[in-house]
Amino acid sequence: MKKEQQQDFINEIKDYVINNLKVSSLSDEELEEEIEQIVLQRMKGQYFPIEEKVEIVQQIYSSIRGLGLLDIIMDDDSITEVMINGPDCIFIEKNGRLTRLDRQFESQRKLEDIIQRIVGMAGREVNQANPIVDTRLPDGSRVNVVLPPIALCGPTVTIRKFSKTPMTIEKLIAYGSITKEIAEILHLFVKAKYNIFIAGGTGSGKTTFLNALSNYIPKDERIITIEDSAELQITGIENLVSMETRNANSTGTGEINIRDLIKSSLRMRPERIVVGEVRGGEALDMLQAMNTGHPVRASYRRCCQSLHTIIRKRMNAGKSEEKACLSMRSIYRQVSLPV
């Protein structure tokens, strides 16, 4: 069946299901079974490869209850990044290479509906008043959404997928990313509760490395994680509290930023605090907590800049905002020594 014919067939079955079945009263399994029976009945007397039948059933089911075409893309574990530049232009990164998919969404309205489902699952909202949002999928994949009129080509979605199997230090050694000697030194640093900065460019593996490094954290400690959108995969820690920021609502109220969460975490009896990207005044709060001897154990992840530049920029921002001042020598001492 040609692509155009297949899409027409899918749309026909989808319309039939919506108009003739009580979709809202069916469970996911029941709905999928009903769709499968209808597809097989319509294909009766014709030959179609089993793979094509399965794909058609999955597309119809996903368009009704899932994320449509996006479900099929996300099911491919070899795809590491998805870039949707409007309903007609989809790129994927597969095996390190960017390619354009020979597929498209039914319409811009359908893509916008899928975006609202994704954002809603994480308790966030995106609209013309707030056209940019960072969120995540249930599997932890990172999602960035930009809506018109900011995005001129239509709704734009960028998804960074994460491996279903968490990264470990052993795998990094096997890949040749680090040596055994460096791994042993890092193990000692984590065990001794040193402050650790992980820096690197976009897509360089900062989060992946931090997940691997977290395996060295003793399992009986209380860990607090703070992120813009939750994507860390810390395993084996029972006393783990994960916190996520919240954007302001349509009335401009209700925002909870990283700075608010850091201040709250200091009252939660943390043994270690793992913070996501440090980009503003929260850097001052972390440094002040260490400077006053607060028992905080923190690891930080930040995009590519030198440590000196990060500190100086954040402290300059802190001076203008809060009239606060710490000497560079004091700052370096706090981030270089165990707390």
Side-chain angles (χ1 to χ4, degrees), residues 122-124 133-136 140-144 207 225-232 242-247 255-262 274-280 282 301-303:
R124 305 209 173 192
V133 68
D134 288 312
T135 184
R136 70 184 190 282
S141 297
R142 183 193 310 165
V143 182
N144 173 266
T207 302
T225 67
I226 298 171
E227 302 174 84
D228 270 332
S229 56
E231 56 193 44
L232 292 174
S242 299
M243 297 195 292
E244 185 179 57
T245 61
R246 185 178 70 187
N247 294 334
E255 179 185 11
I256 304 294
N257 57 36
I258 284 185
R259 193 165 200 180
D260 298 325
L261 295 179
I262 289 176
V274 182
V275 184
E277 287 152 301
V278 178
R279 296 175 296 196
E282 64 271 7
R301 179 171 56 85
R302 181 62 169 85
C303 292

Side-chain angles (χ1 to χ4, degrees), residues 288-307:
Q288 284 182 325
M290 289 185 278
N291 193 50
T292 56
H294 196 287
V296 179
R297 322 302 183 190
S299 299
Y300 312 110
R301 179 171 56 85
R302 181 62 169 85
C303 292
C304 188
Q305 287 184 24
S306 70
L307 178 58

Side-chain angles (χ1 to χ4, degrees), residues 37 70 108 124 262 279 284 327:
Q37 292 301 318
L70 195 55
Q108 180 165 315
R124 305 209 173 192
I262 289 176
R279 296 175 296 196
L284 179 61
S327 69

Side-chain angles (χ1 to χ4, degrees), residues 81-83 91-101:
E81 195 139 9
V82 183
M83 290 142 279
F91 284 84
I92 60 169
E93 183 184 62
K94 191 171 185 176
N95 300 322
R97 298 187 62 182
L98 282 179
T99 56
R100 181 169 179 172
L101 277 185

Side-chain angles (χ1 to χ4, degrees), residues 184-286:
E184 290 173 0
I185 292 172
L186 289 172
H187 190 180
L188 291 175
F189 282 169
V190 174
K191 190 174 181 181
K193 298 182 178 178
Y194 270 69
N195 301 305
I196 299 175
F197 285 78
I198 300 176
T202 300
S204 60
K206 300 182 295 294
T207 302
T208 300
F209 183 63
L210 181 53
N211 282 328
L213 207 59
S214 69
N215 293 323
Y216 286 148
I217 298 175
K219 307 305 180 186
D220 58 348
E221 292 188 353
R222 178 170 172 80
I223 313 300
I224 312 293
T225 67
I226 298 171
E227 302 174 84
D228 270 332
S229 56
E231 56 193 44
L232 292 174
Q233 297 173 309
I234 298 179
T235 59
I237 304 291
E238 291 187 359
N239 200 349
L240 173 67
V241 178
S242 299
M243 297 195 292
E244 185 179 57
T245 61
R246 185 178 70 187
N247 294 334
N249 57 28
S250 56
T251 63
T253 61
E255 179 185 11
I256 304 294
N257 57 36
I258 284 185
R259 193 165 200 180
D260 298 325
L261 295 179
I262 289 176
K263 290 178 180 178
S264 178
S265 71
L266 300 180
R267 303 181 182 93
M268 298 171 67
R269 203 263 183 199
E271 292 186 83
R272 297 177 194 258
I273 302 175
V274 182
V275 184
E277 287 152 301
V278 178
R279 296 175 296 196
E282 64 271 7
L284 179 61
D285 293 312
M286 291 186 293

Side-chain angles (χ1 to χ4, degrees), residues 173 178-186:
I173 294 173
I178 61 174
T179 64
K180 286 186 177 180
E181 292 74 19
I182 293 297
E184 290 173 0
I185 292 172
L186 289 172

